[in-house]
Coordinates of all heavy atoms in Angstrom, one line a residue:
D337 N 61.5 -163.1 113.7 CA 62.0 -164.3 114.3 C 61.1 -165.5 114.0 O 59.9 -165.3 113.8 CB 62.1 -164.2 115.8 CG 63.1 -163.2 116.2 OD1 64.0 -163.0 115.5 OD2 63.0 -162.7 117.4
P338 N 61.6 -166.7 113.9 CA 60.8 -167.9 113.6 C 59.8 -168.0 114.8 O 60.1 -167.8 115.9 CB 61.7 -169.0 113.6 CG 63.1 -168.5 113.4 CD 63.1 -167.1 113.9
G339 N 58.5 -168.3 114.5 CA 57.5 -168.6 115.5 C 56.9 -167.3 116.1 O 56.1 -167.4 117.0
I340 N 57.2 -166.2 115.5 CA 56.6 -164.9 116.0 C 55.1 -164.7 115.6 O 54.3 -164.1 116.2 CB 57.5 -163.7 115.7 CG1 57.3 -162.6 116.7 CG2 57.3 -163.2 114.3 CD1 58.0 -162.9 118.0
G341 N 54.8 -165.3 114.4 CA 53.4 -165.2 114.0 C 53.3 -164.6 112.6 O 52.2 -164.1 112.2
K342 N 54.3 -164.7 111.8 CA 54.3 -164.1 110.4 C 53.3 -164.8 109.5 O 52.5 -164.2 108.9 CB 55.7 -164.2 109.8 CG 56.8 -163.5 110.5 CD 58.1 -163.6 109.9 CE 58.7 -165.0 109.8 NZ 59.0 -165.6 111.1
S343 N 53.3 -166.2 109.6 CA 52.4 -166.9 108.7 C 51.0 -166.7 109.1 O 50.1 -166.6 108.3 CB 52.7 -168.4 108.8 OG 54.1 -168.7 108.6
T344 N 50.8 -166.6 110.5 CA 49.4 -166.3 111.0 C 48.9 -165.0 110.5 O 47.8 -164.9 110.0 CB 49.4 -166.3 112.5 OG1 50.1 -167.5 112.9 CG2 48.1 -166.3 113.1
R380 N 45.8 -174.5 110.1 CA 45.9 -173.2 110.7 C 44.7 -172.3 110.2 O 44.1 -171.5 110.9 CB 47.2 -172.5 110.3 CG 47.4 -171.2 111.0 CD 48.6 -170.4 110.6 NE 49.8 -171.0 111.1 CZ 50.9 -171.3 110.3 NH1 50.8 -171.1 109.0 NH2 51.9 -171.8 110.8
R383 N 41.7 -172.9 112.1 CA 41.7 -172.2 113.4 C 41.4 -170.7 113.3 O 40.9 -170.1 114.2 CB 43.2 -172.4 113.9 CG 43.3 -172.4 115.3 CD 44.7 -172.9 115.7 NE 45.2 -172.3 116.9 CZ 46.4 -172.5 117.4 NH1 47.2 -173.4 116.8 NH2 46.8 -171.9 118.5
L384 N 41.9 -170.2 112.1 CA 41.7 -168.7 112.0 C 40.3 -168.4 111.3 O 40.0 -167.2 111.1 CB 42.8 -168.1 111.1 CG 44.2 -168.3 111.6 CD1 45.2 -167.9 110.6 CD2 44.4 -167.6 112.9
H460 N 62.9 -165.1 107.6 CA 63.3 -165.3 109.0 C 64.5 -164.5 109.3 O 65.4 -164.4 108.5 CB 63.6 -166.7 109.3 CG 62.4 -167.6 109.1 ND1 61.3 -167.5 109.9 CD2 62.2 -168.6 108.2 CE1 60.4 -168.4 109.5 NE2 60.9 -169.1 108.5
M512 N 48.4 -162.1 120.2 CA 48.3 -163.4 119.7 C 47.3 -164.2 120.6 O 47.6 -164.4 121.8 CB 49.6 -164.1 119.7 CG 49.7 -165.5 119.2 SD 49.1 -165.7 117.5 CE 50.6 -165.7 116.6
E513 N 46.2 -164.6 120.1 CA 45.2 -165.4 120.9 C 45.1 -166.8 120.3 O 45.7 -167.1 119.3 CB 43.9 -164.6 120.9 CG 44.0 -163.3 121.7 CD 42.9 -162.4 121.5 OE1 41.9 -162.8 120.8 OE2 42.9 -161.3 122.0
D514 N 44.2 -167.6 120.9 CA 44.0 -168.9 120.4 C 43.5 -169.0 119.0 O 43.7 -169.9 118.2 CB 43.0 -169.7 121.3 CG 43.6 -170.0 122.6 OD1 44.9 -169.9 122.7 OD2 42.9 -170.4 123.6
D515 N 42.7 -168.0 118.6 CA 42.2 -168.0 117.2 C 42.8 -166.9 116.4 O 42.2 -166.3 115.6 CB 40.6 -167.9 117.2 CG 40.2 -166.6 118.0 OD1 41.1 -166.0 118.6 OD2 39.0 -166.3 118.0
G516 N 44.1 -166.8 116.6 CA 44.9 -165.9 115.7 C 45.2 -164.5 116.3 O 45.1 -164.3 117.5
Ligands
TYD840 P1 53.4 -168.8 113.0 O1 52.5 -167.9 112.3 O2 53.6 -170.2 112.5 O3 54.9 -168.1 113.1 P2 56.0 -167.9 112.0 O4 55.4 -168.0 110.7 O5 56.5 -166.5 112.3 O6 57.1 -168.8 112.2 O7 52.9 -168.9 114.5 C1 53.7 -169.1 115.6 C2 53.1 -169.2 116.9 O8 51.8 -168.6 117.0 C3 52.9 -170.7 117.2 O9 53.9 -171.0 118.2 C4 51.5 -170.8 117.8 C5 51.0 -169.4 117.9 N1 49.6 -169.3 117.5 C6 48.6 -169.0 118.4 O10 48.9 -168.7 119.6 N2 47.3 -168.8 118.0 C7 47.0 -169.1 116.7 O11 45.8 -169.0 116.4 C8 48.0 -169.5 115.8 C9 47.6 -169.8 114.3 C10 49.3 -169.6 116.2

Side-chain angles (χ1 to χ4, degrees):
D337 291 336
I340 206 75
K342 302 180 293 297
S343 308
T344 310
R380 184 185 291 127
R383 204 165 150 184
L384 302 174
H460 295 297
M512 180 63 96
E513 289 167 7
D514 286 347
D515 54 353

